[in-house]
Amino acid sequence: QVQLVESGGGSVQAGGSLRLSCMASEYITSPYSMAWFRQVPGKEREGVAYISSDSFTRYADSVRGRFTVSRDSAQNILYLRMNSLKPEDTAKYYCAAVNMILGALWTNQEQYSFWGQGTQVTVSS
């Protein structure tokens, strides 16, 4: 059972940057999909960014151009670089993984087998 642990969250002012990390407890064999989701209380969890083992990336419209997803396969780490942060980016951020290529289904959280516990990001105006 793969365990995912997020880190790097915190409080930042609008316009600032953060880098989130998600470390997997073991090597995730290909093919795989990994993604970042976020959730605020009272709202559904939404997909933020996605990367697959074939290096294909996808982003939510709300973060495209500001966020960058990447991975260090050798270190089993998934990253999310967040620039130009806005107050509406405030949420708890989760990483997720599954051993298949999801493509257009990447925002469907039910497709993912492994989830982290989340890290809080707070952006003040």
Side-chain angles (χ1 to χ4, degrees), residues 57-121:
T57 58
R58 293 178 183 252
Y59 296 92
D61 290 342
S62 59
V63 307
R64 189 175 292 110
R66 301 187 297 123
F67 290 12
T68 302
V69 63
S70 62
R71 72 183 189 281
D72 182 335
S73 298
Q75 299 293 326
N76 302 332
I77 303 175
L78 177 72
Y79 298 104
L80 183 67
R81 178 67 181 181
M82 306 185 294
N83 295 329
S84 303
L85 282 162
K86 304 175 181 180
E88 50 264 43
D89 295 317
T90 295
K92 195 167 188 178
Y93 284 70
Y94 300 85
C95 68
V98 64
N99 285 114
M100 66 175 70
I101 302 295
L102 293 179
L105 296 177
W106 75 274
T107 58
N108 186 340
Q109 58 181 307
E110 295 181 0
Q111 298 290 330
Y112 294 86
S113 302
F114 311 110
W115 288 87
Q117 294 300 306
T119 184
Q120 178 68 36
V121 171

Side-chain angles (χ1 to χ4, degrees), residues 1-5 22-26 28 76 95 114-116:
Q1 181 83 355
V2 175
Q3 294 185 343
L4 303 175
V5 179
C22 171
M23 179 168 286
S25 60
E26 58 188 74
I28 301 177
N76 302 332
C95 68
F114 311 110
W115 288 87

Side-chain angles (χ1 to χ4, degrees), residues 31-48:
Y32 63 79
S33 295
M34 297 189 76
W36 289 95
F37 285 75
R38 66 186 180 187
Q39 188 172 27
V40 296
K43 292 189 176 182
E44 290 191 2
R45 195 171 294 187
E46 64 168 346
V48 175

